[in-house]
Amino acid sequence: MHMIDIAGAISAYRHCRRQVVTASVDHLDFLNPVQVGDLIVLEAQVNRAFHTSVEVGVEVFSEDSAAGVRKHTTTAFLTFVALNEIGKPIPVPPLIVKTSDERRRYREAGERRNLRLKARKKS
Ligand SMILES: CC(C)(COP(=O)(O)OP(=O)(O)OC[C@H]1O[C@@H](n2cnc3c(N)ncnc32)[C@H](O)[C@@H]1OP(=O)(O)O)[C@@H](O)C(=O)NCCC(=O)NCCS
């Protein structure tokens, strides 16, 4: 989970070019175990930029390096908020989406944000 946060933060930072802080991590399902000796591969991408926050998706794979077999372990969605010099949220650059896959991620990130906002209002 720490590695997911680090990979996500690097991706958010590369988009925002600002200090970012983790605001939330959506739930995590572990689909396949990571065995001792496996390599862990993390792929992170910004799915959508909102006002001062971005949603980053992190996919985690375990790789049996001897056999060369890679298995999907989990996908996590994290929200990072960009901060200014005094630690206050600051607007992030827009995300330009071009491919159909990027547009799908963008749309789905909006749906997840609506659910998050609803959940935050309830709590
Ligand atoms: C995240 C944090 C900076 C938000 O500050 P805030 O004063 O509540 O700011 P705002 O209410 O103006 O919200 C700023 C943005 O954060 C988002 N946000 C705040 N809390 C959130 C949450 N729990 N989940 C997702 N997004 C959240 C808001 O939606 C908003 O995004 P937007 O501008 O793109 O619409 C603040 O709550 C904080 O510092 N939290 C501690 C973070 C931390 O310590 N992380 C390390 C964990 S190990």
Side-chain angles (χ1 to χ4, degrees), residues 40-110:
I40 301 175
V41 179
L42 296 99
E43 294 178 0
Q45 68 287 309
V46 174
N47 290 331
R48 185 158 176 168
F50 297 104
H51 180 51
T52 63
S53 66
V54 293
E55 186 201 87
V56 176
V58 181
E59 284 189 286
V60 183
F61 303 89
S62 63
E63 188 174 292
D64 177 339
S65 52
V69 176
R70 190 180 279 198
K71 285 185 187 167
H72 182 221
T73 297
T74 191
T75 300
F77 299 103
L78 302 90
T79 302
F80 292 90
V81 177
L83 302 177
N84 66 13
E85 295 72 16
I86 56 166
K88 297 290 178 197
I90 185 170
V92 297
L95 180 72
I96 297 160
V97 290
K98 291 181 181 162
T99 69
S100 60
D101 189 47
E102 288 168 350
R103 282 193 289 272
R104 176 186 58 77
R105 289 173 192 274
Y106 184 93
R107 188 185 66 248
E108 291 175 357

Side-chain angles (χ1 to χ4, degrees), residues 3 10 35 38 74 82 85 97 103 110 114:
M3 291 167 76
I10 292 170
Q35 306 292 349
D38 282 354
T74 191
E85 295 72 16
V97 290
R103 282 193 289 272
N114 290 338

Side-chain angles (χ1 to χ4, degrees), residues 11-20 52 54 80-82 92-93:
S11 183
Y13 175 80
R14 291 178 74 196
H15 179 77
C16 302
R17 299 293 169 193
R18 286 275 179 182
Q19 180 190 348
V20 294
T52 63
V54 293
F80 292 90
V81 177
V92 297

